[in-house]
């Protein structure tokens, strides 16, 4: 089971490269928030990447973001990223009983251009966005997040 300790190793208060997000692409933007969906098992209050402990941090710090995004698109089982989508139909497809609404500050998630998968038998793109390591509960199912 991965460790969930989250100490920072950045110098002089600068954010590590893996937390530096590209420009915002197309998604619903309300004020300073973006709305996403995630299909998963019922009862979740927060989300952790498969590799969210020290190894996940190492992956993010020691590998090019593009490489990790490509790897995630092929197999997310050892990824330091959490998958989200802008299309509720995709979340419903991947759901094991619940679709979560996740409202994030702009820039916390970024699109994965390497995921070109469509839902089986459709032309619906997965519209995948990624978040590194952890999505805290305050962003899940509109439980008080104001995205300030």
């Amino acid at each position: 089971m991965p460790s969930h300790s989250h100490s920072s190793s950045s110098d002089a208060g600068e954010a590590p490269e893996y937390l530096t997000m590209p420009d915002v692409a197309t998604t619903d933007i309300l004020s300073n928030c973006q709305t996403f969906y995630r299909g998963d098992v019922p009862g979740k209050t927060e989300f952790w990447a498969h590799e969210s402990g020290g190894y996940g941090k190492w992956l993010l710090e020691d590998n090019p973001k593009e490489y990790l995004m490509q790897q995630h698109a092929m197999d997310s089982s050892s990824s330091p990223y959490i998958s989200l989508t802008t299309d509720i139909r995709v979340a419903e497809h991947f759901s094991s009983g619940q679709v979560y609404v996740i409202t994030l500050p702009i820039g916390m998630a970024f699109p994965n251009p390497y995921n070109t998968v469509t839902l089986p038998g459709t032309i619906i793109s997965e519209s995948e966005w990624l978040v590194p390591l952890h999505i805290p509960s305050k962003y899940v199912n509109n439980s008080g997040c104001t995205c300030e």
Side-chain angles (χ1 to χ4, degrees):
M1 176 170 259
S3 166
H4 296 299
S5 70
H6 299 284
S7 62
S8 174
S9 62
S10 60
D11 297 320
E14 293 179 16
E17 189 276 333
Y18 64 84
L19 292 177
T20 307
M21 305 305 165
D23 293 333
V24 175
T26 306
T27 186
D28 290 337
I29 299 176
L30 304 171
S31 180
N32 53 346
C33 300
Q34 292 175 275
T35 300
F36 300 95
Y37 305 97
R38 179 173 173 84
D40 212 313
V41 297
K44 295 239 179 175
T45 58
E46 64 185 333
F47 295 95
W48 292 92
H50 290 286
E51 292 296 344
S52 57
Y55 181 66
K57 289 179 183 177
W58 175 83
L59 284 171
L60 292 166
E61 291 171 354
D62 289 1
N63 291 280
K65 184 186 297 185
E66 292 74 20
Y67 169 78
L68 292 173
M69 292 167 66
Q70 290 170 349
Q71 294 301 306
H72 182 95
M74 292 186 295
D75 179 9
S76 64
S77 65
S78 61
S79 175
Y81 295 122
I82 303 158
S83 297
L84 304 175
T85 182
T86 55
D87 191 324
I88 196 167
R89 298 170 296 181
V90 174
E92 289 167 345
H93 174 77
F94 284 102
S95 173
S96 295
Q98 184 160 349
V99 172
Y100 295 88
V101 177
I102 299 173
T103 307
L104 299 175
I106 292 172
M108 188 171 169
F110 52 93
N112 186 357
Y114 302 102
N115 184 337
T116 58
V117 175
T118 58
L119 293 184
T122 73
I123 59 168
I124 300 169
S125 166
E126 281 193 9
S127 305
E128 182 178 58
W129 287 60
L130 302 174
V131 176
L133 302 178
H134 181 234
I135 300 173
S137 61
K138 69 181 180 178
Y139 301 124
V140 179
N141 287 340
N142 298 316
S143 58
C145 171
T146 60
C147 293
E148 293 178 2

